[in-house]
Amino acid sequence: AVVGLIGRNGVGKTTFLRILGGLIRSDGGELWMNGTLLSPVGSRPGVSYFGGGQTIPPGVVAQRWALQVSGGAYRFPEKRSVRDLSRGTRQMLGLRATLAARDCSVILLDEPWEGLDPDGARWLNVELTRRSAAGDAILVSSHRLDDLARSSHRYLFLADGVLRESEKDSLGPRIGGEELLREFDRWKRAP
């Protein structure tokens, strides 16, 4: 399933994704996956995180990075350094490598539509649907509410340190960005 993560800037969406990905340590609590307690920080087998094109090391050769991240499943044609690629190309490089990886069943994406052209956004929506249909769990944080509405099955709203959940079906038959915005406003006001 694809789960959309929605919240204001600065409420902790990126931090939450990085904790889940094992990139940073949380201030407290435990993280469990499939009945196993995970270490507070470190490698998470089966979990793949992509935080945007700006998170790819600029000096690395794009093709080499893609092969490493995808486990050899995606061969990016560019042999230039990542710093020499456009913003949109860096974003597509990261998304294609992350979503091509066969050894992960949990995918964490932070603002994946940023910098994508219409063809790239269409590809991402199709790929999220494909990976979800294959049984992968995908958590996507984005302010692009129309894209989240289109691709997600459930929604998590983060406000004042509290996560609240809504099912797509509970929001109406034709959900779009406006309906998600209304639901977000409703959760912001909840006690």
Side-chain angles (χ1 to χ4, degrees), residues 53-118:
Q54 76 281 0
T55 64
I56 303 172
V60 71
V61 173
Q63 189 176 77
R64 187 174 307 137
W65 187 88
L67 286 170
Q68 181 180 357
V69 168
S70 70
Y74 177 60
R75 184 175 184 86
F76 191 70
E78 290 284 346
K79 294 183 181 179
R80 296 183 289 164
S81 292
V82 169
R83 77 170 53 87
D84 297 328
L85 303 175
S86 71
R87 176 181 178 218
T89 301
R90 284 192 310 269
Q91 187 76 350
M92 282 302 292
L93 161 68
L95 289 168
R96 285 187 182 276
T98 300
L99 292 169
R102 295 183 201 106
D103 62 346
C104 66
S105 59
V106 177
I107 301 165
L108 309 169
L109 300 174
D110 196 0
E111 296 292 349
W113 288 281
E114 292 307 309
L116 297 184
D117 62 19

Side-chain angles (χ1 to χ4, degrees), residues 24-42:
I24 61 173
R25 184 181 305 269
S26 70
D27 292 338
E30 297 176 334
L31 188 58
W32 293 77
M33 186 166 81
N34 297 327
T36 302
L37 178 64
L38 300 176
S39 65
V41 70

Side-chain angles (χ1 to χ4, degrees), residues 98-149:
T98 300
L99 292 169
R102 295 183 201 106
D103 62 346
C104 66
S105 59
V106 177
I107 301 165
L108 309 169
L109 300 174
D110 196 0
E111 296 292 349
W113 288 281
E114 292 307 309
L116 297 184
D117 62 19
D119 288 334
R122 181 182 306 119
W123 171 85
L124 177 58
N125 291 334
V126 168
E127 192 62 17
L128 291 175
T129 300
R130 185 188 73 75
R131 290 296 301 248
S132 176
D136 295 327
I138 305 165
L139 180 58
V140 181
S141 173
S142 181
H143 294 144
R144 304 249 317 242
L145 298 182
D146 284 326
D147 288 312
L148 273 184

Side-chain angles (χ1 to χ4, degrees), residues 156-172:
L156 294 176
F157 298 88
L158 182 58
D160 299 323
V162 177
L163 272 177
R164 301 180 199 279
E165 179 181 13
S166 292
E167 296 285 333
K168 188 171 195 166
D169 294 341
S170 71
L171 299 177

